[in-house]
Amino acid sequence: GDQDVPYDPEQLRKIQEHPCYSENACHTFGRCHLPVAPDCNIQCNYCVRDFDCVNESRPGVTSKVIRPEESLELVQKVIDEFPFVKVIGIAGPGEPLANEETFETLKLIHEAFPHLIMCISTNGLMLPERIDELQQYGVGNVTVTLNAVDPAIGEKIYSFVNYHGKHYTGREAAELLLKNQLEGIRMAVERKMFVKVNCVYIPGVNDEHIPEIARTVGEMGAYSFNLIPLIPQYKFRDITPPTPAEKREMQDRCAPYIKQMRHCARCRSDAIGRLGHDVQSRIYGTEIVTKK
Ligand code: SF4
Ligand code: SF4
């Protein structure tokens, strides 16, 4: 767990202002997601790409993509109007690290507002080779979605992986993704970033394996674990998602290995405000698209 990693006091103070890493902060501070990243490089069997990446976001929501330069204006507007926003995150609508716009945005925002906490979420495929850039742009918080630490299980969850111009499927895809996810987490911990692991609870596919995932990342020094109930769609549309009681039970089974995040609100990739009290309509006007 977190006790293995010697975070410096400044980092620990800062994280108290991150609503997703500190349960106290989620009532006081806010975050602003910048929807600059439309493309994805893998196919999860529970994802329909008409909507935001479901590893992080609420299902059935489509965020309008904005350009890196627009995001700079947006952040200025947001912190002027809502000074409690301390965290700027990139969480989609696709996979942040599969879009060069993510890096352009991080650079622009970090240079203009160096005091803000920078945060990204990722499926982990490109994390090892992009992590130094993330660090350079002040990213201190990384969320990696990790649904299996055994490629035999990963293979049932991912249809394909596109990596350096090659298309991988089956076991090979699952092995490649897992290798990069673990290497990326290791490198992030080594750089003293706070690593949150998102894990989708898929009954009959990875459920018996979830405590093993928690144990693995806890031992690696990840900071917190966010269990996400499956949204049944695409190839997993016939799976019954876990009940809230089953989710709590699984969190209790994982708790000995790593701190559980139990207050995730599954935010849109353009969310602005405190968790559960979003204000993006006041920033974007009425242009919010919500599909059912
Ligand atoms: Fe969908 Fe996100 Fe998986 Fe990509 S990483 S397929 S956007 S859930
Ligand atoms: Fe935080 Fe969860 Fe919202 Fe991400 S989706 S900003 S982790 S509450």
Side-chain angles (χ1 to χ4, degrees):
D2 44 286
Q3 69 279 7
D4 311 332
V5 182
Y7 296 110
D8 66 50
E10 171 61 13
Q11 278 177 300
L12 286 166
R13 189 198 57 73
K14 247 186 153 181
I15 207 174
Q16 293 312 314
E17 298 183 347
H18 194 310
C20 309
Y21 286 77
S22 155
E23 219 149 334
N24 300 327
C26 84
H27 306 293
T28 319
F29 296 107
R31 46 83 188 93
C32 171
H33 280 173
L34 302 171
V36 294
D39 296 339
C40 188
N41 47 14
I42 69 174
Q43 177 63 61
C44 304
N45 287 336
Y46 48 71
C47 177
V48 192
R49 285 300 292 117
D50 299 342
F51 305 127
D52 281 13
C53 171
V54 293
N55 285 340
E56 181 82 3
S57 309
R58 207 169 302 162
V61 162
T62 308
S63 300
K64 176 174 165 262
V65 175
I66 61 171
R67 298 278 320 149
E69 313 79 62
E70 292 176 285
S71 69
L72 193 59
E73 261 169 65
L74 180 84
V75 170
Q76 183 65 63
K77 212 164 135 187
V78 167
I79 58 176
D80 287 349
E81 243 191 278
F82 308 104
F84 57 83
V85 169
K86 302 286 184 186
V87 178
I88 305 299
I90 301 179
E95 156 58 25
L97 303 191
N99 295 268
E100 286 313 308
E101 287 81 1
T102 294
F103 300 92
E104 289 166 38
T105 304
L106 290 171
K107 182 172 192 291
L108 287 172
I109 306 291
H110 183 58
E111 283 172 2
F113 311 102
H115 62 287
L116 293 172
I117 301 176
M118 304 295 278
C119 176
I120 61 134
S121 66
T122 176
N123 59 34
L125 181 66
M126 301 303 287
L127 191 52
E129 58 206 85
R130 305 308 295 262
I131 195 156
D132 287 327
E133 280 159 277
L134 297 179
Q135 189 174 35
Q136 188 187 333
Y137 303 141
V139 173
N141 298 73
V142 176
T143 298
V144 181
T145 300
L146 181 67
N147 299 322
V149 288
D150 175 353
I153 294 172
E155 170 176 31
K156 298 178 187 156
I157 301 174
Y158 304 101
S159 293
F160 63 76
V161 164
N162 289 329
Y163 187 63
H164 290 295
K166 256 193 89 177
H167 185 78
Y168 298 83
T169 57
R171 181 65 64 97
E172 217 190 347
E175 275 169 3
L176 171 62
L177 180 61
L178 176 61
K179 179 173 154 285
N180 287 9
Q181 288 169 323
L182 293 179
E183 178 67 359
I185 292 170
R186 191 191 63 73
M187 293 171 85
V189 170
E190 190 178 69
R191 283 159 181 74
K192 296 195 167 60
M193 295 174 174
F194 287 93
V195 177
K196 175 160 73 65
V197 171
N198 278 357
C199 178
V200 183
Y201 183 160
I202 314 166
V205 178
N206 72 347
D207 48 348
E208 277 316 307
H209 180 60
I210 289 172
E212 177 65 15
I213 302 171
R215 191 179 61 81
T216 304
V217 296
E219 283 173 358
M220 292 175 77
Y223 182 79
S224 65
F225 195 78
N226 180 24
L227 190 62
I228 300 179
L230 172 76
I231 309 295
Q233 51 181 16
Y234 189 45
K235 292 191 183 166
F236 289 164
R237 66 181 164 272
D238 295 326
I239 296 179
T240 306
T243 64
E246 285 168 332
K247 179 186 169 189
R248 275 194 304 275
E249 211 174 290
M250 186 64 83
Q251 286 174 319
D252 293 343
R253 285 174 66 189
C254 295
Y257 307 118
I258 182 167
K259 180 182 161 75
Q260 301 296 298
M261 178 193 176
R262 297 183 192 250
H263 62 284
C264 176
R266 300 193 85 159
C267 312
R268 323 160 46 107
S269 70
D270 62 359
I272 303 170
R274 296 185 183 90
L275 301 190
H277 302 276
D278 286 319
V279 292
Q280 69 261 47
S281 59
R282 284 171 54 190
I283 292 290
Y284 286 109
T286 49
E287 276 182 61
I288 292 185
V289 189
T290 304
K291 285 192 197 167
K292 283 272 148 44

